[in-house]
Amino acid sequence: QVQLVESGGGLAQPGGSLRLSCAASGFTFSTYTMSWARRAPGKGLEWVSSIYTDDTVTGYADSVKGRFTISRDNAKETLYLQMNNLKPEDTARYYCAKGRGDITITNMPYLSEYDHWGQGTQVTVTS
């Protein structure tokens, strides 16, 4: 049974930072691409970032590029998202996801490439 549990969300001021974590279990974490996506109020699910098993290969949505950093600790089976310079438009529930299989860099943004999702953690950025 695949389990993904996000944590680290909360309230932040514009320009502030948060670090999200996703604890994974039930699969061989180190062999799968992992991803973060978010859902803002009244909007659909938006891909944020993905990372290969080798954490030197990453991808980011344009909306977060330069501000967010995805990383992973395979020994701890944990995925991270460092969120800096937060903006009100970053307010959303953030989810981590497990890749369905082999994912190319160009296919990273397609949510259909991910087959398991966590429960999410809320991030609220107030102005």
Side-chain angles (χ1 to χ4, degrees):
Q1 53 179 351
V2 174
Q3 184 112 67
L4 302 169
V5 181
E6 300 93 335
S7 62
L11 185 67
Q13 297 180 354
S17 298
L18 287 172
R19 188 192 191 214
L20 307 184
S21 298
C22 173
S25 61
F27 65 101
T28 307
F29 177 79
S30 63
T31 67
Y32 286 88
T33 294
M34 298 295 295
S35 180
W36 289 98
R38 65 187 182 184
R39 187 186 297 276
K43 298 183 179 180
L45 200 62
E46 176 192 21
W47 174 77
V48 173
S49 182
S50 293
I51 185 169
Y52 274 9
T53 58
D54 180 346
D55 64 4
T56 63
V57 180
T58 59
Y60 297 91
D62 288 341
S63 58
V64 306
K65 193 173 298 182
R67 300 188 298 119
F68 292 7
T69 302
I70 191 171
S71 62
R72 65 193 297 161
D73 187 330
N74 286 338
K76 295 182 178 180
E77 296 189 306
T78 303
L79 178 73
Y80 303 99
L81 185 68
Q82 179 65 47
M83 309 166 66
N84 296 329
N85 192 23
L86 285 164
K87 302 176 179 180
E89 51 263 43
D90 294 320
T91 295
R93 192 165 187 87
Y94 285 72
Y95 302 87
C96 69
K98 166 188 171 290
R100 184 180 300 276
D102 292 337
I103 301 174
T104 64
I105 293 175
T106 55
N107 282 350
M108 281 182 172
Y110 295 99
L111 300 181
S112 62
E113 296 286 348
Y114 307 93
D115 60 3
H116 288 88
W117 299 80
Q119 86 291 345
T121 184
Q122 180 67 37
V123 171
T124 302
V125 184
T126 60
S127 60

